[in-house]
Amino acid sequence: MNWIHLLEKGIWFGFAAMGFAVLFNVPVRTLRLIFLIGAIGGLMKALLLELEANVIFASLGGAILVGYVSILAAHNKHAPPMVFAIPSVIPMVPGVFAYRMMLGVIQLSGMKNEQYDLVLVETIDNGLKATFILFSLALGVAIPLLITRKDSIKKRIIK
Amino acid sequence: MAEKENGQELKELAQTLLQIGALLMSSGANSQRIRKTLHRIAGEFQCHIDLLITHRALMLNISDAQKQHFYSAIKRTEPVGVNFKIVSGISRMSWRLVQEHWSIAQLKKELDGLLSLTHYPRIVILLMVGLAGASFCRLFGGEWLDMVVTFSATFIGLVVRQEVTKRSFNPYLCIFFAAFTSSLIAGFPVVYFDVIHEQALFSAVLYLIPGVPLINSFSDLIHGETMTGIVRSVNGLLIAFSIALGFMLATKICELYLI
């Protein structure tokens, strides 16, 4: 396992999360934490991939970690968990798979030879991977909130 | 605590609640959060509310505790764009209201304060989103030169998107223009120079991905807000389709000059 390489990846994950945080106009006090959460979520995914896990499960693992840490961060910084979670999972989007699927679809639309079957199989494979990774990112962020079964992150104040 | 001798206060509260709900919907909150926030605020004023939340309109029926007065209103929600500062601010505001027992006037004043919150400076947004694009490129295995290409394509694409949005074009058309611009700028170096890899090209449109609609769609669906969830996911798919269209057109144009 190449630790230096992993660490560098973590930094890029953090920057990607932070860029989206700025685009979504998050409160300034949450920016540093979003960098951190994006980095550890991405590292979790990278680590699972290193351990030969399926890319879909690796993304799910990363997203669950992001969802869980976002709940803790929400307590600390008094902002809803989604403010932390959404920018942090976006760097895990399956860009490569989606791109290859699109290229495949473009190729298929103007093709009539023996290669057709091969390209079709690859396109379907990439498309399914992209779809399920997106699905597992959304699911992963939601799972910690569902399990803790909190209506709201703050405790109800008894009047 | 508000005294509701006539329906006037009730009306005022209903209008304020609708404004808060519409603001949350425009800023990218999910339906669950809108429902909870409005119920929390209404409960503090000892009123009962029933809500109908859709993607483009909010409907609210409010009554006081004695069921003496009723008031119904509907408000259209405008899709302004994701703004988590507002979502976070309204969340904090609703909790402070419960703790400090505000009047309706105070609630309105705080809400006006929230509306005046600023965005990041434009150049900061452009640079940070450009950096995010370059990070994507690196994560997918691009080299330093590819990152520079992605950075510039993202930067200029986002400028185009902001400018087109200002001129209030159709939102999907704005996304299409931005995707087309970014793919064109990143596409030419990828096609012409062997040093630049394809990673630079598909990282350049990733700043447009509909992350918020898709994740919100999912959370709405699992909370039983099925209609809104479906609407949001279709919206996300349309955005993805617009990106794909811009990307395809640009790559076709880049390849034309190869021959």
Side-chain angles (χ1 to χ4, degrees):
Chain A
M1 213 179 284
N2 187 345
W3 290 107
I4 297 293
H5 181 68
L6 265 186
L7 201 67
E8 192 219 356
K9 262 202 158 157
I11 289 170
W12 292 122
F13 269 114
F15 276 131
M18 213 162 144
F20 275 94
V22 171
L23 186 67
F24 296 153
N25 198 31
V26 299
V28 181
R29 65 178 188 279
T30 62
L31 267 179
R32 270 177 309 174
L33 255 179
I34 289 174
F35 181 93
L36 202 70
I37 297 172
I40 60 170
L43 278 179
M44 181 79 177
K45 181 188 168 181
L47 206 66
L48 288 171
L49 281 176
E50 290 271 340
L51 300 171
E52 318 256 307
N54 181 327
V55 64
I56 296 167
F57 285 109
S59 306
L60 184 65
I64 290 176
L65 186 64
V66 165
Y68 185 70
V69 180
S70 296
I71 293 178
L72 300 179
H75 272 292
N76 201 312
K77 293 278 179 196
H78 307 294
M82 62 177 278
V83 170
F84 300 94
I86 294 180
S88 303
V89 290
I90 285 185
M92 291 189 236
V93 290
V96 185
F97 295 117
Y99 167 73
R100 289 204 189 120
M101 179 199 78
M102 218 154 63
L103 277 193
V105 171
I106 299 170
Q107 271 182 316
L108 286 175
S109 59
M111 208 169 160
K112 269 198 176 70
N113 54 24
E114 320 64 83
Q115 287 279 300
Y116 195 91
D117 289 2
L118 194 70
V119 177
L120 184 68
V121 169
E122 271 185 11
T123 306
I124 291 175
D125 177 50
N126 284 320
L128 282 179
K129 276 208 180 98
T131 311
F132 277 110
I133 290 172
L134 273 180
F135 199 70
S136 57
L137 290 182
L139 183 70
V141 168
I143 283 177
L145 269 175
L146 291 175
I147 288 179
T148 49
R149 284 202 305 174
K150 288 233 168 59
D151 287 350
S152 167
I153 291 304
K154 290 187 187 258
K155 291 185 184 66
R156 291 288 337 217
I157 297 146
I158 311 297
K159 285 200 283 280
Chain B
M1 227 22 58
E3 285 187 12
K4 286 168 285 290
E5 294 138 350
N6 54 16
Q8 195 51 43
E9 291 233 336
L10 210 57
K11 268 186 199 171
E12 228 174 289
L13 180 62
Q15 294 294 352
T16 315
L17 285 176
L18 276 177
Q19 197 189 351
I20 292 171
L23 205 54
L24 278 173
M25 184 54 101
S26 310
S27 309
N30 59 33
S31 307
Q32 185 84 351
R33 171 164 297 278
I34 297 171
R35 207 172 278 283
K36 286 223 180 312
T37 306
L38 296 192
H39 274 285
R40 185 183 303 146
I41 296 171
E44 178 60 25
F45 290 104
Q46 269 121 48
C47 292
H48 176 78
I49 58 170
D50 285 303
L51 267 177
L52 170 68
I53 300 174
T54 67
H55 193 232
R56 296 298 297 277
L58 272 179
M59 189 170 171
L60 171 131
N61 181 306
I62 189 164
S63 63
D64 54 9
Q66 297 80 33
K67 296 269 190 286
Q68 298 246 316
H69 297 284
F70 285 89
Y71 180 70
S72 256
I74 189 164
K75 186 174 169 66
R76 193 158 165 67
T77 60
E78 295 299 332
V80 178
V82 182
N83 189 341
F84 283 173
K85 221 174 248 185
I86 297 271
V87 176
S88 172
I90 288 180
S91 161
R92 284 178 102 177
M93 184 181 82
S94 72
W95 284 110
R96 282 177 48 210
L97 172 129
V98 171
Q99 278 171 342
E100 300 165 16
H101 305 301
W102 293 354
S103 63
I104 296 179
Q106 209 171 345
L107 174 66
K108 275 182 162 173
K109 208 180 81 196
E110 290 282 330
L111 196 59
D112 288 339
L114 272 184
L115 285 172
S116 62
L117 283 180
T118 51
H119 275 265
Y120 288 84
R122 191 172 175 186
I123 189 71
V124 171
I125 298 177
L126 290 168
L127 287 174
M128 283 306 295
V129 176
L131 180 64
S135 308
F136 271 126
C137 181
R138 184 70 186 159
L139 286 171
F140 294 139
E143 304 288 331
W144 297 104
L145 266 178
D146 306 340
M147 287 171 72
V148 174
V149 171
T150 306
F151 180 90
S152 15
T154 303
F155 190 98
I156 298 168
L158 191 57
V159 171
V160 168
R161 186 187 172 178
Q162 288 174 341
E163 287 304 317
V164 179
T165 307
K166 262 185 214 162
R167 285 159 183 69
S168 54
F169 274 82
N170 176 299
Y172 300 118
L173 202 61
C174 297
I175 302 262
F176 168 80
F177 284 142
F180 179 70
T181 313
S182 294
S183 314
L184 211 55
I185 291 167
F188 272 111
V190 170
V191 170
Y192 281 103
F193 303 108
D194 292 340
V195 206
I196 312 286
H197 306 98
E198 60 176 358
Q199 276 88 353
L201 176 56
F202 62 79
S203 308
V205 289
L206 281 182
Y207 67 99
L208 295 165
I209 39 174
V212 176
L214 289 178
I215 290 176
N216 274 341
S217 139
F218 193 87
S219 43
D220 274 6
L221 287 173
I222 54 176
H223 284 123
E225 304 268 1
T226 316
M227 283 283 278
T228 325
I230 293 171
V231 171
R232 283 188 205 263
S233 61
V234 171
N235 178 32
L237 285 176
L238 276 173
I239 292 174
F241 184 71
S242 313
I243 299 171
L245 215 60
F247 180 90
M248 266 170 61
L249 194 64
T251 44
K252 283 278 175 254
I253 289 173
C254 290
E255 282 164 5
L256 278 185
Y257 290 96
L258 261 189
I259 316 150

